[in-house]
């Protein structure tokens, strides 16, 4: 028996900023679902690494304005990614 089709919110956006969705047969074990899971894991790992870097940079007390601006931009991007991962996973939990 086949499962009903499902739509998964992906944790990234298209180059023009539009939401990306994965429409599948309902199986969470599809190849594309596994790729999406891995990308989410990488996004979370990158955010963790960036937080460690921020702790180091800010802990030194010698960061330049340029370094702080770059750090802020990267933290903002990572936070957007983490928020999309949370939204995607939350949507799947509600099913």
């Amino acid at each position: 028996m086949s499962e009903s089709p499902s739509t998964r919110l992906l944790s990234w956006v298209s180059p023009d900023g539009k939401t990306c969705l994965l429409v599948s047969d309902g199986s969470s074990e599809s190849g594309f679902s596994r790729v999406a899971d891995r990308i989410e894991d990488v996004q979370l790992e990158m955010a963790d690494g960036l937080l460690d870097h921020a702790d180091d940079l800010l802990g030194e007390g010698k960061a330049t304005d340029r370094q702080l601006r770059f750090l802020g931009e990267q933290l903002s991007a990572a936070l957007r990614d983490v928020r999309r991962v949370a939204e995607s996973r939350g949507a799947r939990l509600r099913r």
Side-chain angles (χ1 to χ4, degrees):
M1 178 161 79
S2 69
E3 298 182 38
S4 61
S6 68
T7 303
R8 174 179 176 169
L9 175 66
L10 296 175
S11 62
W12 59 89
V13 295
S14 69
D16 56 349
K18 294 184 179 176
T19 299
C20 293
L21 300 170
L22 172 62
V23 179
S24 69
D25 63 3
S27 168
S28 62
E29 297 302 315
S30 75
F32 288 120
S33 287
R34 286 192 301 273
V35 169
D37 290 341
R38 183 62 192 132
I39 290 171
E40 286 181 357
D41 290 342
V42 168
Q43 288 172 313
L44 295 174
E45 289 168 10
M46 289 175 66
D48 281 340
L50 185 57
L51 285 171
D52 291 342
H53 176 66
D55 287 342
D56 292 343
L57 185 64
L58 297 172
E60 293 173 3
K62 298 178 182 178
T64 66
D65 288 347
R66 184 175 179 189
Q67 289 172 316
L68 291 174
R69 191 174 309 107
F70 182 75
L71 177 63
E73 290 168 356
Q74 297 307 303
L75 286 169
S76 179
L79 184 56
R80 271 191 293 279
D81 288 345
V82 169
R83 184 183 64 204
R84 282 193 299 267
V85 169
E87 289 171 0
S88 175
R89 291 182 179 183
R92 285 180 276 149
L93 287 174
R94 287 190 291 271
R95 287 188 212 153

